[in-house]
Amino acid sequence: RQTTGFLHLDGFMDVCDGILSRRDLETRRRILKDSHCGAFAVICMVLLAMAQWSAFLSLEDIPLLPLALLPVASRASAAMAVLTLRPMSTSQYSAMERGGAPVFLWGSLAPLAAAVGYGLAVWYGFRQFDGMSGDISGFGLVLGELCGTVVLALGR
């Protein structure tokens, strides 16, 4: 059974632990599957929370539509990545059927930044772990939405 609800931060933290360990591919994959929280995950989570806090503090009187488009753009990008990128051999995605139509929704620069941020984060995670997984998708979603929020805050 495939579940992704509220596990994006877990994926973000797992990928940070694996990538920042600077180990070989097999060890990084083992760290990705490990249920324990490492020091790199905690540090990255604190940095993420501080960045999100700063971005959202500067958005107190922003219209809701651009903000609402950020998760739409990042999740559309996630669907495209999950359907088109080769899964890791150890991922639950390896049993999924491939193929599907990509979904695009651009309404402003913030959703575009969310999609580009997602794409860059997934590209980096895909290269570091030699395949796609739910953790990498969560990593990309968290960073993509942060990118969109920061662009929205800077565009004010």
PDB file of all heavy atoms in Angstrom, residues 12 15 19 73-74 77-78 80-81 85 106 111-129 132 136-145 147-148 151:
ATOM      1  N   PHE A  12      12.226  14.226   3.727  1.00  0.00           N
ATOM      2  CA  PHE A  12      13.235  15.290   3.704  1.00  0.00           C
ATOM      3  C   PHE A  12      14.374  14.969   4.671  1.00  0.00           C
ATOM      4  O   PHE A  12      15.550  15.036   4.316  1.00  0.00           O
ATOM      5  CB  PHE A  12      12.582  16.629   4.072  1.00  0.00           C
ATOM      6  CG  PHE A  12      13.546  17.754   4.286  1.00  0.00           C
ATOM      7  CD1 PHE A  12      14.137  18.392   3.211  1.00  0.00           C
ATOM      8  CD2 PHE A  12      13.868  18.172   5.564  1.00  0.00           C
ATOM      9  CE1 PHE A  12      15.030  19.433   3.407  1.00  0.00           C
ATOM     10  CE2 PHE A  12      14.752  19.209   5.775  1.00  0.00           C
ATOM     11  CZ  PHE A  12      15.342  19.846   4.688  1.00  0.00           C
ATOM     12  N   VAL A  15      16.476  11.865   3.503  1.00  0.00           N
ATOM     13  CA  VAL A  15      17.362  12.187   2.378  1.00  0.00           C
ATOM     14  C   VAL A  15      18.533  13.044   2.862  1.00  0.00           C
ATOM     15  O   VAL A  15      19.677  12.829   2.445  1.00  0.00           O
ATOM     16  CB  VAL A  15      16.576  12.870   1.240  1.00  0.00           C
ATOM     17  CG1 VAL A  15      17.509  13.444   0.192  1.00  0.00           C
ATOM     18  CG2 VAL A  15      15.615  11.882   0.596  1.00  0.00           C
ATOM     19  N   ILE A  19      22.313  11.906   2.166  1.00  0.00           N
ATOM     20  CA  ILE A  19      23.190  12.707   1.305  1.00  0.00           C
ATOM     21  C   ILE A  19      24.358  13.289   2.092  1.00  0.00           C
ATOM     22  O   ILE A  19      25.508  13.240   1.651  1.00  0.00           O
ATOM     23  CB  ILE A  19      22.390  13.831   0.616  1.00  0.00           C
ATOM     24  CG1 ILE A  19      21.461  13.233  -0.442  1.00  0.00           C
ATOM     25  CG2 ILE A  19      23.318  14.860  -0.008  1.00  0.00           C
ATOM     26  CD1 ILE A  19      20.524  14.238  -1.081  1.00  0.00           C
ATOM     27  N   ALA A  73       1.527  23.268  -7.594  1.00  0.00           N
ATOM     28  CA  ALA A  73       2.660  23.161  -8.513  1.00  0.00           C
ATOM     29  C   ALA A  73       3.657  22.107  -8.056  1.00  0.00           C
ATOM     30  O   ALA A  73       4.152  21.310  -8.868  1.00  0.00           O
ATOM     31  CB  ALA A  73       3.353  24.521  -8.646  1.00  0.00           C
ATOM     32  N   SER A  74       3.954  22.063  -6.765  1.00  0.00           N
ATOM     33  CA  SER A  74       4.947  21.088  -6.294  1.00  0.00           C
ATOM     34  C   SER A  74       4.405  19.663  -6.390  1.00  0.00           C
ATOM     35  O   SER A  74       5.136  18.737  -6.741  1.00  0.00           O
ATOM     36  CB  SER A  74       5.395  21.412  -4.872  1.00  0.00           C
ATOM     37  OG  SER A  74       4.323  21.292  -3.966  1.00  0.00           O
ATOM     38  N   SER A  77       4.428  18.512  -9.992  1.00  0.00           N
ATOM     39  CA  SER A  77       5.800  18.117 -10.314  1.00  0.00           C
ATOM     40  C   SER A  77       6.134  16.760  -9.712  1.00  0.00           C
ATOM     41  O   SER A  77       6.813  15.941 -10.334  1.00  0.00           O
ATOM     42  CB  SER A  77       6.791  19.172  -9.801  1.00  0.00           C
ATOM     43  OG  SER A  77       6.528  20.416 -10.392  1.00  0.00           O
ATOM     44  N   ALA A  78       5.644  16.508  -8.503  1.00  0.00           N
ATOM     45  CA  ALA A  78       5.886  15.220  -7.857  1.00  0.00           C
ATOM     46  C   ALA A  78       5.237  14.090  -8.646  1.00  0.00           C
ATOM     47  O   ALA A  78       5.839  13.025  -8.837  1.00  0.00           O
ATOM     48  CB  ALA A  78       5.346  15.231  -6.424  1.00  0.00           C
ATOM     49  N   MET A  80       4.625  14.026 -11.827  1.00  0.00           N
ATOM     50  CA  MET A  80       5.397  13.827 -13.043  1.00  0.00           C
ATOM     51  C   MET A  80       6.690  13.059 -12.747  1.00  0.00           C
ATOM     52  O   MET A  80       7.066  12.157 -13.490  1.00  0.00           O
ATOM     53  CB  MET A  80       5.725  15.181 -13.681  1.00  0.00           C
ATOM     54  CG  MET A  80       6.252  15.063 -15.082  1.00  0.00           C
ATOM     55  SD  MET A  80       6.283  16.625 -15.965  1.00  0.00           S
ATOM     56  CE  MET A  80       7.209  17.668 -14.871  1.00  0.00           C
ATOM     57  N   ALA A  81       7.364  13.385 -11.663  1.00  0.00           N
ATOM     58  CA  ALA A  81       8.615  12.706 -11.321  1.00  0.00           C
ATOM     59  C   ALA A  81       8.376  11.242 -10.971  1.00  0.00           C
ATOM     60  O   ALA A  81       9.118  10.358 -11.408  1.00  0.00           O
ATOM     61  CB  ALA A  81       9.306  13.418 -10.159  1.00  0.00           C
ATOM     62  N   LEU A  85      10.421   9.028 -13.675  1.00  0.00           N
ATOM     63  CA  LEU A  85      11.795   8.683 -13.288  1.00  0.00           C
ATOM     64  C   LEU A  85      11.903   7.219 -12.865  1.00  0.00           C
ATOM     65  O   LEU A  85      10.978   6.664 -12.267  1.00  0.00           O
ATOM     66  CB  LEU A  85      12.278   9.577 -12.145  1.00  0.00           C
ATOM     67  CG  LEU A  85      12.468  11.050 -12.483  1.00  0.00           C
ATOM     68  CD1 LEU A  85      12.840  11.834 -11.241  1.00  0.00           C
ATOM     69  CD2 LEU A  85      13.522  11.230 -13.566  1.00  0.00           C
ATOM     70  N   TRP A 106       0.737  26.849 -14.085  1.00  0.00           N
ATOM     71  CA  TRP A 106       1.572  28.011 -13.781  1.00  0.00           C
ATOM     72  C   TRP A 106       0.662  29.226 -13.719  1.00  0.00           C
ATOM     73  O   TRP A 106      -0.030  29.526 -14.654  1.00  0.00           O
ATOM     74  CB  TRP A 106       2.627  28.253 -14.845  1.00  0.00           C
ATOM     75  CG  TRP A 106       3.406  27.037 -15.231  1.00  0.00           C
ATOM     76  CD1 TRP A 106       3.511  26.506 -16.472  1.00  0.00           C
ATOM     77  CD2 TRP A 106       4.197  26.209 -14.384  1.00  0.00           C
ATOM     78  NE1 TRP A 106       4.302  25.400 -16.444  1.00  0.00           N
ATOM     79  CE2 TRP A 106       4.736  25.188 -15.187  1.00  0.00           C
ATOM     80  CE3 TRP A 106       4.488  26.209 -13.017  1.00  0.00           C
ATOM     81  CZ2 TRP A 106       5.557  24.200 -14.679  1.00  0.00           C
ATOM     82  CZ3 TRP A 106       5.302  25.220 -12.520  1.00  0.00           C
ATOM     83  CH2 TRP A 106       5.826  24.242 -13.353  1.00  0.00           C
ATOM     84  N   PRO A 111       4.525  29.610  -8.059  1.00  0.00           N
ATOM     85  CA  PRO A 111       4.340  28.193  -8.389  1.00  0.00           C
ATOM     86  C   PRO A 111       5.434  27.665  -9.315  1.00  0.00           C
ATOM     87  O   PRO A 111       5.847  26.512  -9.188  1.00  0.00           O
ATOM     88  CB  PRO A 111       2.968  28.150  -9.076  1.00  0.00           C
ATOM     89  CG  PRO A 111       2.263  29.335  -8.555  1.00  0.00           C
ATOM     90  CD  PRO A 111       3.324  30.386  -8.356  1.00  0.00           C
ATOM     91  N   LEU A 112       5.902  28.505 -10.223  1.00  0.00           N
ATOM     92  CA  LEU A 112       7.013  28.098 -11.085  1.00  0.00           C
ATOM     93  C   LEU A 112       8.257  27.817 -10.252  1.00  0.00           C
ATOM     94  O   LEU A 112       8.950  26.825 -10.457  1.00  0.00           O
ATOM     95  CB  LEU A 112       7.294  29.176 -12.135  1.00  0.00           C
ATOM     96  CG  LEU A 112       8.457  28.916 -13.079  1.00  0.00           C
ATOM     97  CD1 LEU A 112       8.217  27.644 -13.884  1.00  0.00           C
ATOM     98  CD2 LEU A 112       8.660  30.094 -14.007  1.00  0.00           C
ATOM     99  N   ALA A 113       8.526  28.682  -9.267  1.00  0.00           N
ATOM    100  CA  ALA A 113       9.670  28.463  -8.379  1.00  0.00           C
ATOM    101  C   ALA A 113       9.496  27.194  -7.559  1.00  0.00           C
ATOM    102  O   ALA A 113      10.467  26.468  -7.322  1.00  0.00           O
ATOM    103  CB  ALA A 113       9.860  29.667  -7.455  1.00  0.00           C
ATOM    104  N   ALA A 114       8.260  26.911  -7.135  1.00  0.00           N
ATOM    105  CA  ALA A 114       7.998  25.672  -6.386  1.00  0.00           C
ATOM    106  C   ALA A 114       8.286  24.459  -7.262  1.00  0.00           C
ATOM    107  O   ALA A 114       8.907  23.496  -6.814  1.00  0.00           O
ATOM    108  CB  ALA A 114       6.556  25.644  -5.886  1.00  0.00           C
ATOM    109  N   ALA A 115       7.858  24.506  -8.510  1.00  0.00           N
ATOM    110  CA  ALA A 115       8.088  23.390  -9.428  1.00  0.00           C
ATOM    111  C   ALA A 115       9.570  23.241  -9.759  1.00  0.00           C
ATOM    112  O   ALA A 115      10.107  22.129  -9.775  1.00  0.00           O
ATOM    113  CB  ALA A 115       7.277  23.575 -10.698  1.00  0.00           C
ATOM    114  N   VAL A 116      10.247  24.358  -9.991  1.00  0.00           N
ATOM    115  CA  VAL A 116      11.683  24.305 -10.296  1.00  0.00           C
ATOM    116  C   VAL A 116      12.463  23.837  -9.071  1.00  0.00           C
ATOM    117  O   VAL A 116      13.371  23.002  -9.180  1.00  0.00           O
ATOM    118  CB  VAL A 116      12.191  25.684 -10.790  1.00  0.00           C
ATOM    119  CG1 VAL A 116      13.708  25.731 -10.848  1.00  0.00           C
ATOM    120  CG2 VAL A 116      11.595  26.001 -12.156  1.00  0.00           C
ATOM    121  N   GLY A 117      12.103  24.343  -7.894  1.00  0.00           N
ATOM    122  CA  GLY A 117      12.758  23.895  -6.664  1.00  0.00           C
ATOM    123  C   GLY A 117      12.559  22.415  -6.433  1.00  0.00           C
ATOM    124  O   GLY A 117      13.488  21.693  -6.067  1.00  0.00           O
ATOM    125  N   TYR A 118      11.334  21.936  -6.683  1.00  0.00           N
ATOM    126  CA  TYR A 118      11.059  20.503  -6.566  1.00  0.00           C
ATOM    127  C   TYR A 118      11.927  19.726  -7.554  1.00  0.00           C
ATOM    128  O   TYR A 118      12.555  18.736  -7.198  1.00  0.00           O
ATOM    129  CB  TYR A 118       9.575  20.203  -6.825  1.00  0.00           C
ATOM    130  CG  TYR A 118       9.299  18.720  -6.826  1.00  0.00           C
ATOM    131  CD1 TYR A 118       9.032  18.059  -5.641  1.00  0.00           C
ATOM    132  CD2 TYR A 118       9.356  17.976  -8.003  1.00  0.00           C
ATOM    133  CE1 TYR A 118       8.817  16.693  -5.628  1.00  0.00           C
ATOM    134  CE2 TYR A 118       9.143  16.611  -7.996  1.00  0.00           C
ATOM    135  CZ  TYR A 118       8.873  15.977  -6.814  1.00  0.00           C
ATOM    136  OH  TYR A 118       8.681  14.624  -6.798  1.00  0.00           O
ATOM    137  N   GLY A 119      11.941  20.185  -8.785  1.00  0.00           N
ATOM    138  CA  GLY A 119      12.704  19.485  -9.817  1.00  0.00           C
ATOM    139  C   GLY A 119      14.186  19.401  -9.500  1.00  0.00           C
ATOM    140  O   GLY A 119      14.805  18.346  -9.659  1.00  0.00           O
ATOM    141  N   LEU A 120      14.752  20.502  -9.042  1.00  0.00           N
ATOM    142  CA  LEU A 120      16.182  20.499  -8.707  1.00  0.00           C
ATOM    143  C   LEU A 120      16.477  19.601  -7.512  1.00  0.00           C
ATOM    144  O   LEU A 120      17.478  18.878  -7.503  1.00  0.00           O
ATOM    145  CB  LEU A 120      16.654  21.929  -8.430  1.00  0.00           C
ATOM    146  CG  LEU A 120      16.720  22.848  -9.653  1.00  0.00           C
ATOM    147  CD1 LEU A 120      17.034  24.275  -9.220  1.00  0.00           C
ATOM    148  CD2 LEU A 120      17.742  22.341 -10.659  1.00  0.00           C
ATOM    149  N   ALA A 121      15.612  19.644  -6.503  1.00  0.00           N
ATOM    150  CA  ALA A 121      15.819  18.799  -5.322  1.00  0.00           C
ATOM    151  C   ALA A 121      15.707  17.323  -5.676  1.00  0.00           C
ATOM    152  O   ALA A 121      16.519  16.498  -5.234  1.00  0.00           O
ATOM    153  CB  ALA A 121      14.817  19.167  -4.224  1.00  0.00           C
ATOM    154  N   VAL A 122      14.712  16.978  -6.499  1.00  0.00           N
ATOM    155  CA  VAL A 122      14.546  15.577  -6.906  1.00  0.00           C
ATOM    156  C   VAL A 122      15.691  15.135  -7.799  1.00  0.00           C
ATOM    157  O   VAL A 122      16.195  14.017  -7.673  1.00  0.00           O
ATOM    158  CB  VAL A 122      13.176  15.364  -7.585  1.00  0.00           C
ATOM    159  CG1 VAL A 122      13.112  14.031  -8.301  1.00  0.00           C
ATOM    160  CG2 VAL A 122      12.080  15.432  -6.539  1.00  0.00           C
ATOM    161  N   TRP A 123      16.122  16.007  -8.694  1.00  0.00           N
ATOM    162  CA  TRP A 123      17.264  15.677  -9.556  1.00  0.00           C
ATOM    163  C   TRP A 123      18.487  15.358  -8.703  1.00  0.00           C
ATOM    164  O   TRP A 123      19.183  14.378  -8.937  1.00  0.00           O
ATOM    165  CB  TRP A 123      17.555  16.848 -10.500  1.00  0.00           C
ATOM    166  CG  TRP A 123      18.822  16.702 -11.261  1.00  0.00           C
ATOM    167  CD1 TRP A 123      19.036  15.946 -12.379  1.00  0.00           C
ATOM    168  CD2 TRP A 123      20.079  17.320 -10.957  1.00  0.00           C
ATOM    169  NE1 TRP A 123      20.357  16.060 -12.782  1.00  0.00           N
ATOM    170  CE2 TRP A 123      21.008  16.894 -11.921  1.00  0.00           C
ATOM    171  CE3 TRP A 123      20.500  18.193  -9.954  1.00  0.00           C
ATOM    172  CZ2 TRP A 123      22.332  17.317 -11.914  1.00  0.00           C
ATOM    173  CZ3 TRP A 123      21.816  18.605  -9.956  1.00  0.00           C
ATOM    174  CH2 TRP A 123      22.709  18.159 -10.930  1.00  0.00           C
ATOM    175  N   TYR A 124      18.734  16.180  -7.687  1.00  0.00           N
ATOM    176  CA  TYR A 124      19.886  15.960  -6.819  1.00  0.00           C
ATOM    177  C   TYR A 124      19.733  14.660  -6.026  1.00  0.00           C
ATOM    178  O   TYR A 124      20.655  13.853  -5.948  1.00  0.00           O
ATOM    179  CB  TYR A 124      20.062  17.154  -5.875  1.00  0.00           C
ATOM    180  CG  TYR A 124      21.309  17.061  -5.045  1.00  0.00           C
ATOM    181  CD1 TYR A 124      22.566  17.196  -5.627  1.00  0.00           C
ATOM    182  CD2 TYR A 124      21.237  16.825  -3.678  1.00  0.00           C
ATOM    183  CE1 TYR A 124      23.719  17.103  -4.867  1.00  0.00           C
ATOM    184  CE2 TYR A 124      22.382  16.735  -2.912  1.00  0.00           C
ATOM    185  CZ  TYR A 124      23.617  16.870  -3.507  1.00  0.00           C
ATOM    186  OH  TYR A 124      24.749  16.769  -2.759  1.00  0.00           O
ATOM    187  N   GLY A 125      18.548  14.444  -5.447  1.00  0.00           N
ATOM    188  CA  GLY A 125      18.313  13.209  -4.701  1.00  0.00           C
ATOM    189  C   GLY A 125      18.387  11.978  -5.588  1.00  0.00           C
ATOM    190  O   GLY A 125      18.949  10.945  -5.200  1.00  0.00           O
ATOM    191  N   PHE A 126      17.825  12.067  -6.793  1.00  0.00           N
ATOM    192  CA  PHE A 126      17.865  10.963  -7.759  1.00  0.00           C
ATOM    193  C   PHE A 126      19.310  10.592  -8.089  1.00  0.00           C
ATOM    194  O   PHE A 126      19.673   9.418  -8.117  1.00  0.00           O
ATOM    195  CB  PHE A 126      17.108  11.373  -9.029  1.00  0.00           C
ATOM    196  CG  PHE A 126      17.055  10.321 -10.087  1.00  0.00           C
ATOM    197  CD1 PHE A 126      16.085   9.330 -10.042  1.00  0.00           C
ATOM    198  CD2 PHE A 126      17.949  10.323 -11.148  1.00  0.00           C
ATOM    199  CE1 PHE A 126      16.021   8.352 -11.030  1.00  0.00           C
ATOM    200  CE2 PHE A 126      17.891   9.360 -12.129  1.00  0.00           C
ATOM    201  CZ  PHE A 126      16.929   8.369 -12.063  1.00  0.00           C
ATOM    202  N   ARG A 127      20.139  11.605  -8.295  1.00  0.00           N
ATOM    203  CA  ARG A 127      21.554  11.351  -8.602  1.00  0.00           C
ATOM    204  C   ARG A 127      22.301  10.780  -7.406  1.00  0.00           C
ATOM    205  O   ARG A 127      23.154   9.913  -7.562  1.00  0.00           O
ATOM    206  CB  ARG A 127      22.230  12.640  -9.066  1.00  0.00           C
ATOM    207  CG  ARG A 127      21.674  13.092 -10.395  1.00  0.00           C
ATOM    208  CD  ARG A 127      22.603  13.743 -11.288  1.00  0.00           C
ATOM    209  NE  ARG A 127      23.976  13.357 -11.057  1.00  0.00           N
ATOM    210  CZ  ARG A 127      24.999  13.964 -11.579  1.00  0.00           C
ATOM    211  NH1 ARG A 127      24.808  14.971 -12.366  1.00  0.00           N
ATOM    212  NH2 ARG A 127      26.216  13.584 -11.335  1.00  0.00           N
ATOM    213  N   GLN A 128      21.981  11.234  -6.202  1.00  0.00           N
ATOM    214  CA  GLN A 128      22.681  10.767  -5.011  1.00  0.00           C
ATOM    215  C   GLN A 128      22.316   9.332  -4.651  1.00  0.00           C
ATOM    216  O   GLN A 128      23.134   8.604  -4.096  1.00  0.00           O
ATOM    217  CB  GLN A 128      22.378  11.678  -3.815  1.00  0.00           C
ATOM    218  CG  GLN A 128      23.014  13.037  -3.913  1.00  0.00           C
ATOM    219  CD  GLN A 128      24.521  12.952  -3.859  1.00  0.00           C
ATOM    220  OE1 GLN A 128      25.103  12.280  -3.015  1.00  0.00           O
ATOM    221  NE2 GLN A 128      25.174  13.617  -4.794  1.00  0.00           N
ATOM    222  N   PHE A 129      21.062   8.922  -4.956  1.00  0.00           N
ATOM    223  CA  PHE A 129      20.605   7.589  -4.572  1.00  0.00           C
ATOM    224  C   PHE A 129      20.386   6.665  -5.766  1.00  0.00           C
ATOM    225  O   PHE A 129      19.942   5.544  -5.609  1.00  0.00           O
ATOM    226  CB  PHE A 129      19.319   7.690  -3.742  1.00  0.00           C
ATOM    227  CG  PHE A 129      19.543   8.320  -2.399  1.00  0.00           C
ATOM    228  CD1 PHE A 129      19.251   9.653  -2.181  1.00  0.00           C
ATOM    229  CD2 PHE A 129      20.075   7.577  -1.354  1.00  0.00           C
ATOM    230  CE1 PHE A 129      19.471  10.240  -0.946  1.00  0.00           C
ATOM    231  CE2 PHE A 129      20.288   8.150  -0.123  1.00  0.00           C
ATOM    232  CZ  PHE A 129      19.989   9.483   0.086  1.00  0.00           C
ATOM    233  N   MET A 132      14.516   6.861  -7.876  1.00  0.00           N
ATOM    234  CA  MET A 132      13.443   7.640  -7.247  1.00  0.00           C
ATOM    235  C   MET A 132      12.818   6.846  -6.113  1.00  0.00           C
ATOM    236  O   MET A 132      12.718   5.625  -6.179  1.00  0.00           O
ATOM    237  CB  MET A 132      12.395   7.952  -8.322  1.00  0.00           C
ATOM    238  CG  MET A 132      11.285   8.829  -7.864  1.00  0.00           C
ATOM    239  SD  MET A 132      11.930  10.455  -7.448  1.00  0.00           S
ATOM    240  CE  MET A 132      10.440  11.271  -6.960  1.00  0.00           C
ATOM    241  N   ILE A 136      12.632  10.715  -1.505  1.00  0.00           N
ATOM    242  CA  ILE A 136      13.163  11.744  -2.407  1.00  0.00           C
ATOM    243  C   ILE A 136      12.037  12.669  -2.855  1.00  0.00           C
ATOM    244  O   ILE A 136      12.226  13.883  -2.951  1.00  0.00           O
ATOM    245  CB  ILE A 136      13.888  11.100  -3.601  1.00  0.00           C
ATOM    246  CG1 ILE A 136      15.137  10.375  -3.103  1.00  0.00           C
ATOM    247  CG2 ILE A 136      14.250  12.144  -4.646  1.00  0.00           C
ATOM    248  CD1 ILE A 136      15.814   9.517  -4.139  1.00  0.00           C
ATOM    249  N   SER A 137      10.851  12.118  -3.099  1.00  0.00           N
ATOM    250  CA  SER A 137       9.709  12.945  -3.461  1.00  0.00           C
ATOM    251  C   SER A 137       9.342  13.899  -2.321  1.00  0.00           C
ATOM    252  O   SER A 137       9.078  15.079  -2.542  1.00  0.00           O
ATOM    253  CB  SER A 137       8.519  12.068  -3.827  1.00  0.00           C
ATOM    254  OG  SER A 137       7.451  12.857  -4.267  1.00  0.00           O
ATOM    255  N   GLY A 138       9.342  13.395  -1.076  1.00  0.00           N
ATOM    256  CA  GLY A 138       9.075  14.255   0.077  1.00  0.00           C
ATOM    257  C   GLY A 138      10.128  15.337   0.237  1.00  0.00           C
ATOM    258  O   GLY A 138       9.815  16.488   0.538  1.00  0.00           O
ATOM    259  N   PHE A 139      11.383  14.982   0.010  1.00  0.00           N
ATOM    260  CA  PHE A 139      12.498  15.934   0.037  1.00  0.00           C
ATOM    261  C   PHE A 139      12.236  17.054  -0.971  1.00  0.00           C
ATOM    262  O   PHE A 139      12.367  18.236  -0.664  1.00  0.00           O
ATOM    263  CB  PHE A 139      13.784  15.161  -0.295  1.00  0.00           C
ATOM    264  CG  PHE A 139      15.034  15.976  -0.418  1.00  0.00           C
ATOM    265  CD1 PHE A 139      15.651  16.500   0.696  1.00  0.00           C
ATOM    266  CD2 PHE A 139      15.625  16.174  -1.656  1.00  0.00           C
ATOM    267  CE1 PHE A 139      16.837  17.224   0.587  1.00  0.00           C
ATOM    268  CE2 PHE A 139      16.799  16.888  -1.782  1.00  0.00           C
ATOM    269  CZ  PHE A 139      17.409  17.420  -0.660  1.00  0.00           C
ATOM    270  N   GLY A 140      11.844  16.664  -2.174  1.00  0.00           N
ATOM    271  CA  GLY A 140      11.575  17.652  -3.220  1.00  0.00           C
ATOM    272  C   GLY A 140      10.364  18.517  -2.909  1.00  0.00           C
ATOM    273  O   GLY A 140      10.384  19.725  -3.149  1.00  0.00           O
ATOM    274  N   LEU A 141       9.311  17.917  -2.360  1.00  0.00           N
ATOM    275  CA  LEU A 141       8.110  18.690  -2.027  1.00  0.00           C
ATOM    276  C   LEU A 141       8.407  19.754  -0.978  1.00  0.00           C
ATOM    277  O   LEU A 141       7.993  20.903  -1.106  1.00  0.00           O
ATOM    278  CB  LEU A 141       7.004  17.766  -1.528  1.00  0.00           C
ATOM    279  CG  LEU A 141       6.261  16.985  -2.599  1.00  0.00           C
ATOM    280  CD1 LEU A 141       5.376  15.924  -1.970  1.00  0.00           C
ATOM    281  CD2 LEU A 141       5.441  17.911  -3.468  1.00  0.00           C
ATOM    282  N   VAL A 142       9.121  19.373   0.053  1.00  0.00           N
ATOM    283  CA  VAL A 142       9.434  20.325   1.123  1.00  0.00           C
ATOM    284  C   VAL A 142      10.288  21.475   0.582  1.00  0.00           C
ATOM    285  O   VAL A 142       9.996  22.648   0.823  1.00  0.00           O
ATOM    286  CB  VAL A 142      10.145  19.602   2.295  1.00  0.00           C
ATOM    287  CG1 VAL A 142      10.722  20.592   3.274  1.00  0.00           C
ATOM    288  CG2 VAL A 142       9.173  18.670   2.991  1.00  0.00           C
ATOM    289  N   LEU A 143      11.320  21.152  -0.167  1.00  0.00           N
ATOM    290  CA  LEU A 143      12.192  22.203  -0.689  1.00  0.00           C
ATOM    291  C   LEU A 143      11.516  23.010  -1.795  1.00  0.00           C
ATOM    292  O   LEU A 143      11.725  24.227  -1.898  1.00  0.00           O
ATOM    293  CB  LEU A 143      13.503  21.600  -1.193  1.00  0.00           C
ATOM    294  CG  LEU A 143      14.413  21.076  -0.085  1.00  0.00           C
ATOM    295  CD1 LEU A 143      15.689  20.478  -0.667  1.00  0.00           C
ATOM    296  CD2 LEU A 143      14.757  22.188   0.896  1.00  0.00           C
ATOM    297  N   GLY A 144      10.689  22.358  -2.614  1.00  0.00           N
ATOM    298  CA  GLY A 144       9.970  23.083  -3.654  1.00  0.00           C
ATOM    299  C   GLY A 144       9.015  24.108  -3.080  1.00  0.00           C
ATOM    300  O   GLY A 144       8.952  25.253  -3.548  1.00  0.00           O
ATOM    301  N   GLU A 145       8.276  23.710  -2.061  1.00  0.00           N
ATOM    302  CA  GLU A 145       7.348  24.653  -1.445  1.00  0.00           C
ATOM    303  C   GLU A 145       8.077  25.770  -0.714  1.00  0.00           C
ATOM    304  O   GLU A 145       7.620  26.911  -0.698  1.00  0.00           O
ATOM    305  CB  GLU A 145       6.375  23.914  -0.541  1.00  0.00           C
ATOM    306  CG  GLU A 145       5.404  23.081  -1.360  1.00  0.00           C
ATOM    307  CD  GLU A 145       4.544  22.148  -0.547  1.00  0.00           C
ATOM    308  OE1 GLU A 145       4.635  22.157   0.695  1.00  0.00           O
ATOM    309  OE2 GLU A 145       3.768  21.407  -1.178  1.00  0.00           O
ATOM    310  N   CYS A 147      10.961  27.013  -1.768  1.00  0.00           N
ATOM    311  CA  CYS A 147      11.396  27.897  -2.862  1.00  0.00           C
ATOM    312  C   CYS A 147      10.257  28.797  -3.315  1.00  0.00           C
ATOM    313  O   CYS A 147      10.443  30.004  -3.516  1.00  0.00           O
ATOM    314  CB  CYS A 147      11.900  27.079  -4.050  1.00  0.00           C
ATOM    315  SG  CYS A 147      13.472  26.275  -3.781  1.00  0.00           S
ATOM    316  N   GLY A 148       9.064  28.230  -3.484  1.00  0.00           N
ATOM    317  CA  GLY A 148       7.919  29.032  -3.888  1.00  0.00           C
ATOM    318  C   GLY A 148       7.565  30.089  -2.864  1.00  0.00           C
ATOM    319  O   GLY A 148       7.256  31.242  -3.216  1.00  0.00           O
ATOM    320  N   VAL A 151      10.208  32.915  -3.016  1.00  0.00           N
ATOM    321  CA  VAL A 151       9.986  33.780  -4.185  1.00  0.00           C
ATOM    322  C   VAL A 151       8.764  34.667  -3.974  1.00  0.00           C
ATOM    323  O   VAL A 151       8.785  35.846  -4.318  1.00  0.00           O
ATOM    324  CB  VAL A 151       9.853  32.925  -5.481  1.00  0.00           C
ATOM    325  CG1 VAL A 151       9.278  33.732  -6.627  1.00  0.00           C
ATOM    326  CG2 VAL A 151      11.211  32.344  -5.854  1.00  0.00           C
TER     327      VAL A 151
END
